[in-house]
């Protein structure tokens, strides 16, 4: 084997983007983050069969390897980025667009509004269930098969919604569509990490971060005018059209980007061409037993959620925000349609300030990234995980401010401007809070990060799915102003969470059995071969 010289300028994928739950704890993950001259790294291991040391060649990327997604041309990487961001937008749009005319569904099928709201609830519940299945499958099969198959299933299950003859069909098909649509939402962040190096990732990640929040803001806007003009069934036809476009774009124009899968294919090709079994990947050498993998995939997220204060309270905070977003879909029609007598289309226009806030915060995201890079230099490349909380500590106040404005300007006799403008700071705060929360969980748990994010997604989705069922009753009993004020105080109470963890997070992590500790990294380094 030729000498393997590691490219010092190469920035590998994030830890959350590596198969850490599929491979053993001591696996040589650098195979997936290094580039070498000949695309191989010597690996000596003790054979379980013979008990002797066996020599293998780990297949990795060559320096400037054209097959490495990070080395693709920028125009093509941007095309792939826009395809997956569009998919993410479409999924979020689909979750919200039907809120524009739930009354039409209730009237046609002779059911209560609570039953009609189940079409939102079961869809969002799918966002919590799906990742438990699709994230592990993507580590085994790669990203492309998951995108193609789940989006196709989602498209198919959107059709019955548009032609349904009863409410049961509508609810059941929405449930299946929600589960299927959760896959691209789960994989999009990883796909962008596959494509872009760390120093390039600021703008693409900002574009991706905005998509899940612009979708819910645009959904009621489009849905309002569409339902006024053509009825509630067209809210499903528009989902079908957009979902089919996303499926075609991502299935036929975006290739596989997941490095472990691509290297496994390359290793298999080398074995076939040379007839030598020494060409392998870490998946061939250090795969966890099946039972252990299932435990990590299915049990570990719940262990982290209920045993780790950091995961639990960050998940609670994100759940409150997610629930607030879906509460707005019910609260806006209450304030504008019931209170002011506006049409569904005009009510949809009131969501524009939320979208503007989201876009503006996405534009500011690269500045946040630049600030974090200065902290990295200050701490010699290893800033504490709590540095990720600084944007959250600043932006957390945007949520209660926006809600207080929305609450006390929502009197029917007052102008429409007040409640609409209240959505701007809420939209502005969402991206900063979500990105900070995700980054803090990743930095705090590192090799457990995928499970920590799965725990957060599970709790967030189930809470977001539940709140829409009691929002109507809450506004009826408390009134427009005090119902929104209650939400504002809830958001205000959550502002305490980032401050507590900023000052006490390091101490909490020191007593954690799952959190990442620097000494673990040092111990693992002793086990790894020198490239």
């Amino acid at each position: 084997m030729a000498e393997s010289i590691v490219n010092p300028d190469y920035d590998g994928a994030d830890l959350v983007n590596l198969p850490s739950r599929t491979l053993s704890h001591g696996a040589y993950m650098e195979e997936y983050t290094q580039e070498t001259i000949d695309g191989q790294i010597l690996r000596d291991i003790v054979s379980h069969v013979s008990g002797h040391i066996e020599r293998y060649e780990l297949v990795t990327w060559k320096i400037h390897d054209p097959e490495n997604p990070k080395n693709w041309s920028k125009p093509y990487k941007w095309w792939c980025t826009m395809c997956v961001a569009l998919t993410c937008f479409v999924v979020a749009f689909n979750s919200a667009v039907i809120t524009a005319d739930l009354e039409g569904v209730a009237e046609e099928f002779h059911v209560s509004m609570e039953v009609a709201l189940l079409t939102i609830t079961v869809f969002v519940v799918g966002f919590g269930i799906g990742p438990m299945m699709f994230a592990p499958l993507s580590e085994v099969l790669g990203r492309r098969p998951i995108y193609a198959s789940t989006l196709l299933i989602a498209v198919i299950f959107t059709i019955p919604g548009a032609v349904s003859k009863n409410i049961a069909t509508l609810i059941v098909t929405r449930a299946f569509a929600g589960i299927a649509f959760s896959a691209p939402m789960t994989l999009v962040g990883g796909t962008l990490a596959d494509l872009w190096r760390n120093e390039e990732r600021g703008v693409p990640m900002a574009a991706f971060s905005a998509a899940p929040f612009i979708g819910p803001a645009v959904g009621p806007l489009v849905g309002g005018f569409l339902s006024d003009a053509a009825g509630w069934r067209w809210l499903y036809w528009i989902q079908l059209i957009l979902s089919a476009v996303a499926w075609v774009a991502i299935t036929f124009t975006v290739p596989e980007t997941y490095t472990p899968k691509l290297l496994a294919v390359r290793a298999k090709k080398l074995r076939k061409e040379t007839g030598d079994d020494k060409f392998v990947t870490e998946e061939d050498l250090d795969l966890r037993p099946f039972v252990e993998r299932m435990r990590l995939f299915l049990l570990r997220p719940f262990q982290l959620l209920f045993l780790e204060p950091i995961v639990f309270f960050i998940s609670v905070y994100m759940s409150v925000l997610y629930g607030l977003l879906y509460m707005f879909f019910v609260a806006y029609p209450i304030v504008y349609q019931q209170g002011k007598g506006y049409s569904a289309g005009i009510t949809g226009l009131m969501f524009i300030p939320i979208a503007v806030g989201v876009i503006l915060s996405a534009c500011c995201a690269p500045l946040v990234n630049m600030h974090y890079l200065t902290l990295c230099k200050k701490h010699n490349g290893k800033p504490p995980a709590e540095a990720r909380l600084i944007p959250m500590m600043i932006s957390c106040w945007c949520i209660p401010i926006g809600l207080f404005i929305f609450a006390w300007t929502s009197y029917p006799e007052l102008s429409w401007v007040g409640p609409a403008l209240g959505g701007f700071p809420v939209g502005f705060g969402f991206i900063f809070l979500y990105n900070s929360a995700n980054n803090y969980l990743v930095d705090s748990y590192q090799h457990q990060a995928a499970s920590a994010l799965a725990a957060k997604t599970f709790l967030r989705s189930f809470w977001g799915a539940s709140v829409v069922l009691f929002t109507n009753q809450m506004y009826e009993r408390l009134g427009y102003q005090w119902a929104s004020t209650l939400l504002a105080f809830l958001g205000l109470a959550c502002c305490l969470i980032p401050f507590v963890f900023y000052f006490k997070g390091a101490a909490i992590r020191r007593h954690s059995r799952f959190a990442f500790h620097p000494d673990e990294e040092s111990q693992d380094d002793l086990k790894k071969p020198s490239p």
Side-chain angles (χ1 to χ4, degrees), residues 303-325:
Q303 289 179 310
L304 293 173
L305 182 60
F306 296 113
L307 299 178
E308 293 291 309
I310 290 176
V311 177
F312 178 76
F313 283 103
I314 292 293
S315 299
V316 166
Y317 194 2
M318 296 304 102
S319 299
V320 168
L321 295 180
Y322 203 63
L324 171 64
L325 186 64

Side-chain angles (χ1 to χ4, degrees), residues 230-394:
W232 69 265
R233 290 187 183 274
W234 264 97
L235 302 182
Y236 288 86
W237 288 121
I238 191 67
Q239 291 180 61
L240 178 64
I241 293 167
L242 292 177
S243 302
V245 169
W247 175 72
V248 169
I250 208 165
T251 302
F252 297 103
T253 69
V254 179
E256 182 60 66
T257 62
Y258 188 47
T259 286
K261 176 66 176 179
L262 293 172
L263 293 180
V265 171
R266 177 177 285 189
K268 183 178 179 180
K269 182 180 178 182
L270 284 171
R271 290 194 298 268
K272 184 177 180 180
E273 290 175 350
T274 63
D276 193 338
D277 290 337
K278 71 178 182 179
F279 297 103
V280 296
T281 66
E282 277 295 309
E283 290 187 354
D284 299 310
L285 302 179
D286 274 318
L287 194 67
R288 293 181 190 266
F290 177 78
V291 173
E292 185 178 350
R293 276 180 282 158
M294 289 302 100
R295 179 173 57 81
L296 287 174
F297 289 138
L298 301 177
L299 181 61
R300 183 55 54 82
F302 296 103
Q303 289 179 310
L304 293 173
L305 182 60
F306 296 113
L307 299 178
E308 293 291 309
I310 290 176
V311 177
F312 178 76
F313 283 103
I314 292 293
S315 299
V316 166
Y317 194 2
M318 296 304 102
S319 299
V320 168
L321 295 180
Y322 203 63
L324 171 64
L325 186 64
Y326 281 90
M327 275 184 162
F328 271 0
F329 301 147
V330 182
Y332 271 60
I334 290 174
V335 170
Y336 284 106
Q337 290 177 245
Q338 296 179 20
K340 299 182 185 296
Y342 289 3
S343 67
I346 299 300
T347 299
L349 292 173
M350 303 303 131
F351 284 88
I352 290 177
I354 297 179
V356 173
V358 168
I359 293 170
L360 185 60
S361 63
C363 293
C364 296
L367 299 177
V368 175
N369 190 55
M370 289 173 58
H371 174 257
Y372 181 73
L373 292 178
T374 62
L375 293 178
C376 288
K377 292 179 181 178
K378 181 179 177 181
H379 292 87
N380 298 318
K382 294 184 178 182
E386 284 66 35
R388 296 290 196 177
L389 294 173
I390 295 174
M392 183 183 285
M393 295 162 67
I394 297 171

Side-chain angles (χ1 to χ4, degrees), residues 497-516:
I497 292 174
F499 286 89
V500 170
F501 287 139
Y502 183 79
F503 292 105
K504 297 296 183 181
I508 293 171
R509 287 186 285 113
R510 278 196 297 271
H511 294 89
S512 167
R513 53 180 287 214
F514 294 113
F516 174 76

Side-chain angles (χ1 to χ4, degrees), residues 171-232:
I171 292 173
V172 170
T173 54
R174 281 285 286 180
F176 281 108
I179 293 172
F181 272 130
S182 72
M185 294 289 275
T186 303
L187 303 182
V188 165
T191 299
L192 297 190
D194 294 340
L195 292 168
W196 300 94
R197 299 180 190 274
N198 290 340
E199 69 273 13
E200 303 172 321
R201 209 175 292 165
V203 176
M205 286 302 288
F208 152 66
S209 298
F213 298 106
I214 295 177
V218 173
L221 170 59
V222 174
F225 286 106
L226 189 58
S227 62
D228 285 345
W232 69 265

